Amino acid sequence: MRALPRLILSCLALLAPACACAQAATAYRIPASASDGWDVADAGREGWKLERFAALEAAIARGDFPGVTSVLVAQDGRLVYERYFNGGGPDVLNDTRSATKSVTALLVGAAIDRGLLPDAHARVYDHFRDLAPWQHDSARKQAITVEDLLTMSSAWDCDDENPFSSGNEERMYVSEHWTRFALDLPLRGYAPWVKRPEQSPHGRTFSYCTAGSFLLGALVERVSGKPLPEFAAEVLERPLGITRVQWNRSSEGVGMGGGGTRYRSRDLAKLGQLVVDGGTWHDRRILSAGWIELALTVHAQAREDADYGYQFWRFRFTRDGREQPAWTMSGNGGNYVFMVPERKLVAVITRTSYNQRDVHPQSQRMFGDYLLMAMP
């Protein structure tokens, strides 16, 4: 009988270091200072509810939110929370998929700021005359504007959520020339159960179209005379101190403005901070405030629970019994950059749960139920 207590004590002794490690793993740590332009702050001293961060980490450990690789939070331009999971790390280049679309919208703004495009009402086809004639040509097609592509509301038959759509992104990926694929798209019709633009909120019928975002990147290449990655580095990434990026290209070599660009988590937060600060980074003007305002204006209703600006989503959350909207960069796998300009809040969630159901609601729940609730 005496051996049993010794056995129990031995087991407890073995378990103690593991328990201590588990507790240490969830203890709050101030983000590390680095020479990357980010100031850091102690969330506890700033009044953040650290127990909400701990609860989120526990939920990730339980597997409630699979594939999470990083969670970062910044307020008032300072990082207050930074944790990595499941192989994530400060130097990992995260494939955030369609979050690239928001970056492309910023690059369109940079082109307009520099006079390379007149404004968002510029006609797209005017810049691709060398590829004429196009299939299904018409005055309606030639009237498509940059804003139509930015707001996912062009006249094309292009819907990534409809496998029968002529412009479904999977068809583009296997085509020889993505630019021509987009330009040659037929125009959409309207089934009796689909609202026409004049019947839709904000006068636009929304359909998610990666081909349109890609063509915006191709347009930026043409008006700037530079490959999209080079233009992005010049006008956006280097001014933000972003030094490691991976851009994709189409089969004909055009920069892929529709998805797949890889950034480090802190650099994604910089993109969010740029937007929250109205186009500035450390008081340096990078994009015009007017363009950021246009990008974060609701131009179309994407779904019952979401609106759309210029390649930015707007979701509605609740905090303290009141609605709290947040703008987002969003990509397959549950990847998000959440931005709440009026609260000077930026939150990054990177994940690798690609092509899995419910990951977008999960990431939105991570933000709404944990990060937003942790705020002072």
Side-chain angles (χ1 to χ4, degrees):
M1 294 297 293
R2 292 182 179 178
L4 184 58
R6 292 196 191 97
L7 178 60
I8 293 173
L9 289 172
S10 299
C11 291
L12 289 174
L14 290 171
L15 287 172
C19 294
C21 290
Q23 291 173 356
T26 58
Y28 172 75
R29 296 193 298 269
I30 302 171
S33 294
S35 57
D36 60 357
W38 272 114
D39 294 325
V40 300
D42 185 331
R45 290 187 177 181
E46 297 296 320
W48 285 76
K49 302 175 182 65
L50 301 185
E51 65 271 16
R52 297 310 298 161
F53 292 142
L56 175 58
E57 293 173 13
I60 293 171
R62 285 195 307 268
D64 294 355
F65 306 116
V68 174
T69 54
S70 72
V71 180
L72 283 72
V73 179
Q75 189 179 32
D76 294 324
R78 298 177 298 171
L79 282 175
V80 298
Y81 180 78
E82 179 180 24
R83 290 301 297 267
Y84 296 94
F85 313 87
N86 302 313
D91 290 323
V92 171
L93 291 173
N94 304 284
D95 181 0
T96 53
R97 303 295 172 94
S98 286
T100 299
K101 293 178 171 67
S102 303
V103 179
T104 298
L106 298 179
L107 297 179
V108 171
I112 292 174
D113 288 346
R114 286 159 175 73
L116 304 176
L117 282 169
D119 53 37
H121 302 292
R123 292 170 23 142
V124 173
Y125 280 82
D126 289 349
H127 296 276
F128 294 91
R129 293 292 175 187
D130 59 305
L131 295 180
W134 313 289
Q135 294 181 27
H136 311 288
D137 197 10
S138 69
R140 183 179 167 211
K141 169 176 270 196
Q142 294 195 38
I144 292 174
T145 67
V146 171
E147 186 172 71
D148 292 332
L149 300 187
L150 286 168
T151 57
M152 300 283 186
S153 58
S154 77
W156 288 338
D157 171 23
C158 183
D159 186 350
D160 293 346
E161 297 177 357
N162 180 357
F164 298 101
S165 172
S166 300
N168 186 283
E169 63 180 316
E170 300 301 332
R171 301 177 191 274
M172 181 178 72
Y173 296 148
V174 297
S175 68
E176 180 183 13
H177 199 287
W178 294 10
T179 305
R180 181 167 289 284
F181 172 91
L183 294 169
D184 283 347
L185 284 173
L187 301 187
R188 67 174 300 164
Y190 296 92
W193 56 87
V194 175
K195 289 183 178 180
R196 296 172 179 269
E198 60 272 16
Q199 301 169 322
S200 304
H202 315 289
R204 293 184 177 274
T205 300
F206 179 93
S207 61
Y208 194 78
C209 175
T210 295
S213 302
F214 166 75
L215 196 66
L216 285 171
L219 175 62
V220 169
E221 285 201 350
R222 284 182 167 238
V223 299
S224 68
K226 299 176 181 178
L228 194 62
E230 183 178 328
F231 185 72
E234 176 186 320
V235 304
L236 187 64
E237 293 160 356
R238 281 199 296 268
L240 289 173
I242 298 174
T243 58
R244 290 188 59 222
V245 188
Q246 180 179 321
W247 281 84
N248 291 332
R249 296 180 183 272
S250 69
S251 57
E252 74 270 25
V254 174
M256 177 43 166
T261 310
R262 299 183 180 221
Y263 289 102
R264 292 176 292 190
S265 299
R266 283 193 170 203
D267 292 338
L268 287 169
K270 287 182 179 181
L271 294 170
Q273 191 67 47
L274 175 71
V275 172
V276 161
D277 285 344
T280 64
W281 170 252
H282 289 307
D283 298 322
R284 176 186 177 185
R285 175 64 59 189
I286 295 175
L287 292 171
S288 66
W291 183 255
I292 298 299
E293 182 179 357
L294 283 172
L296 301 192
T297 296
V298 174
H299 295 280
Q301 183 179 41
R303 299 194 303 262
E304 288 296 325
D305 65 339
D307 298 310
Y308 207 70
Y310 283 176
Q311 307 276 280
F312 287 88
W313 294 85
R314 182 179 182 270
F315 295 99
R316 294 178 288 278
F317 299 90
T318 301
R319 187 177 188 274
D320 298 332
R322 291 182 293 181
E323 182 177 279
Q324 176 60 73
W327 288 93
T328 76
M329 301 166 58
S330 171
N332 189 345
N335 290 284
Y336 276 87
V337 179
F338 293 92
M339 294 154 285
V340 185
E342 62 269 27
R343 293 182 178 269
K344 296 294 183 181
L345 176 68
V346 176
V348 172
I349 296 173
T350 61
R351 301 178 65 183
T352 56
S353 298
Y354 303 115
N355 302 318
Q356 296 182 26
R357 294 184 59 187
D358 300 326
V359 293
H360 285 290
Q362 287 175 6
S363 293
Q364 292 167 31
R365 196 159 65 250
M366 290 172 66
F367 175 73
D369 292 353
Y370 295 93
L371 303 181
L372 195 59
M373 293 304 174
M375 284 192 67

